[in-house]
Amino acid sequence: MSIRILDADEAKRLAPQLGDILADCVNAGASVGFMLPFSREDGTTFFDDVAAKVASGETLLLCAFQGDEPVGTVQVHLVTTPNQPHRADIAKMLVLSSARRMGNAEALMLAAEEAASKVGRTILVLDTVTASAADRLYTKLGWLRVGEIPDYALWPQGGLCPTTVFYKRVG
């Protein structure tokens, strides 16, 4: 496994494969902002937009590879408001179902923390479904729980789910 920060051209080129990862996660029930039905094309469109944000410098896009195949991804959204140049949001930490429990998620998160720190971000924020595997991973990696928001989002198939907000100091 290897982790790379993608430039805008590589993000655009890999958008279909990254879209496959997103579609796999949504179709498996992950509450990551999308509803069913969700297709590969929907995922590709989403990652085309992310590639544009990478090009503009708003987002760092990291990708986990097994050989040459993308198996996971995470985004670091660089907050650019004048009073928060030290903060970033972690978003869309996704790993293919077939590549889970192999260390990809942990490696992606550690790489995202390092990448954020290298561009001067010292406080990171994220949210995730309460009591999920991701919730347990973030706790294991030293993220601090701020609190839980009930009925924050919908599951892809419908129905409300709670979300937990975390933060971590880096750098």
Side-chain angles (χ1 to χ4, degrees), residues 1 13 23 29 35 72 77 83-84 87-89 105 115 136 150 153 158:
M1 175 208 356
R13 183 177 58 78
M35 301 299 291
H77 295 173
N83 70 335
Q84 297 178 39
R87 185 172 72 79
D89 295 333
R136 291 184 292 280

Side-chain angles (χ1 to χ4, degrees), residues 94-115:
L94 309 165
V95 176
L96 271 175
S97 298
S98 61
R100 293 187 185 148
R101 300 206 174 289
M102 297 178 188
N104 289 302
E106 183 171 339
L108 279 165
M109 285 304 298
L110 293 172
E113 292 171 15
E114 181 180 340

Side-chain angles (χ1 to χ4, degrees), residues 1-3 17-32 46-47 61-66 69-75 90-112 128 133-134 137-138 141:
M1 175 208 356
S2 63
I3 307 286
Q17 289 106 316
L18 299 174
D20 285 342
I21 295 168
L22 178 56
D24 174 70
C25 292
V26 173
N27 286 297
S31 178
V32 291
F46 174 79
F47 275 101
L61 178 61
L62 289 81
C63 188
F65 293 88
Q66 287 182 350
E69 293 300 313
V71 296
T73 183
V74 67
Q75 297 172 44
I90 303 295
K92 301 293 184 279
M93 210 284 294
L94 309 165
V95 176
L96 271 175
S97 298
S98 61
R100 293 187 185 148
R101 300 206 174 289
M102 297 178 188
N104 289 302
E106 183 171 339
L108 279 165
M109 285 304 298
L110 293 172
T128 193
L137 173 67
Y138 302 142
L141 294 178

Side-chain angles (χ1 to χ4, degrees), residues 135-159:
D135 183 329
R136 291 184 292 280
L137 173 67
Y138 302 142
T139 300
K140 174 186 166 190
L141 294 178
W143 286 74
L144 300 173
R145 185 179 309 267
V146 175
E148 181 181 316
I149 305 169
D151 302 339
Y152 183 79
L154 294 173
W155 294 106
Q157 68 278 14

